[in-house]
Amino acid sequence: MSIKAMIAEDEHLAREELAYLIRQEEDVELCPSAEDGQQLLQLYRRYRPDVIFLDIEMPKRSGIDAARRIREDSRVSDGTPPLFVFTTAYDEYAVQAFDLEAVDYLLKPFDPERLHEAMARVRKALQLSRAMSDRDRAETSPKKKSDRLRNGKENPPSPFPDSKLRSSKLLVEDGEKVVVLDPATICYAVRVNRRVAIHTEKEVIYAKITLQELEEMLRNYPFYRSHRSYLVNLDYIKEIVPWFNGACNLILKNKEDTKIPVSRSAVKPLFELLRQY
């Protein structure tokens, strides 16, 4: 697996040092480097690297701003955004970096071993992303669809065995009233203190139940416990984005493009469930 990498760094010595370390990785092809955020946008559109080593503080356009713009461009073009490894001399930006789903975060001066660890994470994230793309192409190919029709599997059995027993309504307490919900309109639910915030297409309901109780109520519907604090409707998943240390994030098909974490232990079961669903 060949990896196209790009460096965005305004300091000449730091740029040369990082380029030298990256060249020690045998499977990496280094693209031309950018010296500021604006140049990065131009070079990214031309070379489309798999991963960008991005300095947070740069002239003309900050690394954080450039990363957001690149992600927006990728969504508009229906493409896959690159992975980001943020670099800086200060660790105060770590939260912003991981909010943008950075695969890693390197402090200057660069340590060869930490760079090697970052590349290991990049490889795992790319492997996951490419496997997902290959699966999607295979599932939507004419031959695959023809095979499903010929084998009578165009509508495979649901991984939720009691789906025929689904109730059309769900009753939950919200304050002093009982709300009647259509489970299909629930995007996700998240634990908030001693309540569960149920996010539907139009509103948020704070139910006096535990997340485990809600999961049990929805057992015949396509909901998955992606994280100890989150329950997500599989029908609302738009994208799966690799994140940090083997975990990933779900991007939902709602107005906010809500990001839902998937714990490392829940990633493999999720993919197995989606293949059946």
Side-chain angles (χ1 to χ4, degrees):
M1 178 177 67
S2 178
I3 301 172
K4 292 173 64 178
M6 180 174 287
I7 297 171
E9 168 65 62
D10 64 310
E11 297 177 15
H12 176 74
L13 291 178
R15 190 166 61 247
E16 291 299 310
E17 178 189 10
L18 187 52
Y20 171 79
L21 293 175
I22 292 175
R23 288 192 184 100
Q24 308 310 304
E25 305 288 327
E26 296 181 356
D27 57 346
V28 179
E29 172 191 349
L30 198 55
C31 301
S33 299
E35 298 182 18
D36 58 60
Q38 194 60 41
Q39 187 182 30
L40 170 62
L41 295 179
Q42 297 170 358
L43 290 175
Y44 167 73
R45 290 161 185 161
R46 180 176 178 183
Y47 291 95
R48 296 289 174 175
D50 299 307
V51 57
I52 299 175
F53 289 82
L54 181 57
D55 185 15
I56 289 180
E57 293 186 297
M58 290 191 296
K60 296 185 180 179
R61 188 187 288 264
S62 72
I64 295 289
D65 186 44
R68 290 197 177 105
R69 180 62 183 273
I70 287 172
R71 288 187 61 81
E72 290 172 3
D73 286 356
S74 298
R75 286 186 179 180
V76 170
S77 63
D78 198 27
T80 301
L83 302 176
F84 294 105
V85 177
F86 283 97
T87 65
T88 183
Y90 310 98
D91 59 6
E92 62 193 70
Y93 298 103
V95 173
Q96 288 177 283
F98 285 112
D99 185 53
L100 281 164
E101 299 163 1
V103 71
D104 209 340
Y105 183 88
L106 300 178
L107 290 175
K108 303 175 187 177
F110 302 114
D111 177 70
E113 186 60 33
R114 276 293 291 121
L115 186 279
H116 189 66
E117 290 176 7
M119 283 306 307
R121 290 182 177 132
V122 167
R123 290 183 186 96
K124 288 182 180 180
L126 286 176
Q127 187 176 20
L128 174 61
S129 179
R130 289 171 180 176
M132 289 162 49
S133 297
D134 290 344
R135 187 202 70 199
D136 290 343
R137 282 194 295 269
E139 288 297 323
T140 56
S141 69
K143 184 180 184 302
K144 186 73 174 180
K145 186 171 183 179
S146 176
D147 290 344
R148 291 199 302 267
L149 287 170
R150 185 169 60 252
N151 296 325
K153 296 181 179 180
E154 179 61 18
N155 294 304
S158 169
F160 304 93
D162 298 325
S163 58
K164 294 181 180 179
L165 303 177
R166 291 176 180 173
S167 168
S168 60
K169 301 298 178 184
L170 187 70
L171 304 180
V172 294
E173 290 187 42
D174 181 11
E176 298 181 354
K177 62 180 183 292
V178 175
V179 180
V180 182
L181 287 176
D182 177 356
T185 66
I186 299 174
C187 305
Y188 71 99
V190 57
R191 185 171 56 195
V192 178
N193 296 325
R194 295 184 178 182
R195 296 197 177 192
V196 171
I198 302 175
H199 292 253
T200 73
E201 296 171 348
K202 298 181 179 180
E203 60 183 333
V204 180
I205 296 158
Y206 292 90
K208 293 181 178 179
I209 55 176
T210 66
L211 196 61
Q212 184 174 350
E213 289 171 337
L214 179 62
E215 184 179 12
E216 179 62 23
M217 294 165 69
L218 295 168
R219 68 184 182 280
N220 298 327
Y221 286 85
F223 283 82
Y224 182 69
R225 188 76 170 266
S226 66
H227 183 277
R228 64 178 181 272
S229 299
Y230 287 86
L231 184 67
V232 62
N233 188 337
L234 299 182
D235 287 334
Y236 280 87
I237 297 176
K238 180 172 68 174
E239 299 174 6
I240 304 177
V241 183
W243 192 44
F244 177 69
N245 201 23
C248 63
N249 284 311
L250 304 177
I251 308 299
L252 301 189
K253 295 185 290 188
N254 57 359
K255 294 179 181 179
E256 298 80 18
D257 282 340
T258 301
K259 181 168 62 178
I260 302 293
V262 182
S263 65
R264 189 168 63 175
S265 61
V267 171
K268 184 177 180 181
L270 172 62
F271 277 97
E272 292 176 351
L273 184 60
L274 288 173
R275 290 189 184 100
Q276 300 174 52
Y277 180 50

